[in-house]
Amino acid sequence: MKQLLSSVLIIIFAVSLFAGKASAAGFTLGAGTGSEADGTYINEAATGVNYGSNTRYWLGGASSGTDAYVLLNWPALKDSLFGRTVDSCFLSDKPQAVVGNADGLFACFQIRTGRPWIELQATWNNYITASLWGTAGAKDTTTDIYSTAVDSKTQAAFTNGVYTEFNITSIAQQWDGPDSINGPGVVLKQYGGSDATQIDLASDEYATAGNRPKIRVVYHEGIDVYPNVCVVTVKVRNPDRSPAVGIWVTAYLTRSNVRDSLGYGYTNLPMYRQTGAQGDA
């Protein structure tokens, strides 16, 4: 189609491109709601052991040989966010024991989509039985996790029997469109402070459902600035015919395409045919 292109007219029918913000609503997943987390912890002291059926997660250790990290994901979250815009999202869990000095530092990191760990298979060495983490303990910031913490807490923020919240709004907002990939979740880890620090958290298998990990979302229906789908129509004319004969080619841009392209001009928008294949226009 490139040889036919003499002039291009782009008309964008933006679906709620600058729509007003609807009233906020919310929901909770986990903690006995029927949509529990997938969760486990991985233990440097037992590199081949899976703890996916344990009733508690162990979080702590800041020295070689003693680290234990918690993996969490909510598989039901994507469907719950479809067609909605996330205003805020908090992940929380309820400590059952807090041991050690209050100078422990803990952070929440997003796990990369190329590491679809499985609750009953993940270990310190492997994210699934047949596949290794890039670096044992899910530490590789190129293949396993993103290098910047989503949120962090000191040990003083953890109190027995009281939910401790991590703000994960920034990554939940990547999961609220039809083109999004929900998961594979987050990892909680200690990244500083005393070596003897240990926090026991109620797991998704904990007997008291109301103590299990949960995710709390505030949202509003629809979208604000960026559309979930834009319909882009391009008219392509054949310069070798007189008068020039034009045909209309309709393309669809997903939310992430538009988000990445704004500021560069519509002539640089990535384009896809109705079939989903990349277009020539």
Side-chain angles (χ1 to χ4, degrees):
M1 188 173 289
K2 290 178 180 177
Q3 67 270 23
L4 300 179
L5 186 61
S6 64
S7 63
V8 175
L9 174 63
I10 299 179
I11 302 175
I12 297 182
F13 301 93
V15 182
S16 301
L17 185 58
F18 298 105
K21 192 171 183 177
S23 299
F27 62 85
T28 298
L29 299 178
T33 63
S35 297
E36 301 298 337
D38 280 352
T40 187
Y41 73 91
I42 55 177
N43 184 1
E44 190 177 14
T47 57
V49 178
N50 172 265
Y51 297 94
S53 60
N54 278 35
T55 59
R56 296 190 182 194
Y57 307 135
W58 172 23
L59 173 64
S63 64
S64 177
T66 64
D67 288 343
Y69 303 153
V70 177
L71 308 179
L72 285 168
N73 190 28
W74 273 265
L77 185 59
K78 181 179 179 180
D79 289 342
S80 299
L81 293 180
F82 185 87
R84 296 167 170 172
T85 295
V86 173
D87 297 320
S88 64
C89 184
F90 291 86
L91 177 157
S92 58
D93 206 347
K94 186 175 286 189
Q96 304 302 304
V98 179
V99 180
N101 298 320
D103 66 343
L105 299 174
F106 299 86
C108 175
F109 294 85
Q110 183 180 6
I111 301 175
R112 291 181 178 271
T113 55
R115 291 292 181 262
W117 58 275
I118 296 177
E119 180 182 38
L120 296 178
Q121 296 183 24
T123 68
W124 185 262
N125 288 336
N126 295 66
Y127 64 91
I128 57 175
T129 300
S131 298
L132 297 169
W133 295 106
T135 300
K139 294 181 179 181
D140 193 311
T141 56
T142 300
T143 60
D144 299 332
I145 63 172
Y146 289 91
S147 58
T148 302
V150 180
D151 195 12
S152 60
K153 302 288 180 185
T154 64
Q155 183 169 320
F158 294 84
T159 302
N160 284 352
V162 178
Y163 272 106
T164 301
E165 290 192 324
F166 287 86
N167 187 337
I168 63 167
T169 302
S170 61
I171 57 175
Q173 287 172 338
Q174 301 172 29
W175 301 335
D176 60 6
D179 59 314
S180 65
I181 299 175
N182 173 22
V186 299
V187 56
L188 306 179
K189 59 169 63 180
Q190 184 178 358
Y191 69 102
S194 299
D195 295 349
T197 300
Q198 178 180 329
I199 299 173
D200 288 346
L201 299 169
S203 82
D204 58 297
E205 306 291 337
Y206 198 74
T208 304
N211 289 351
R212 293 172 185 168
K214 62 183 179 180
I215 194 165
R216 179 172 57 86
V217 179
V218 175
Y219 69 91
H220 58 273
E221 297 290 351
I223 51 177
D224 294 329
V225 179
Y226 302 110
N228 283 326
V229 177
C230 265
V231 181
V232 178
T233 302
V234 181
K235 192 166 189 178
V236 182
R237 298 183 185 275
N238 186 343
D240 297 325
R241 298 185 64 177
S242 181
V245 177
I247 60 171
W248 291 99
V249 178
T250 300
Y252 292 89
L253 302 176
T254 63
R255 177 177 182 173
S256 58
N257 295 146
V258 176
R259 177 187 297 159
D260 293 342
S261 300
L262 288 178
Y264 294 95
Y266 288 122
T267 55
N268 292 328
L269 286 172
M271 299 182 64
Y272 298 86
R273 297 288 180 80
Q274 294 184 42
T275 60
Q278 189 169 354
D280 299 317

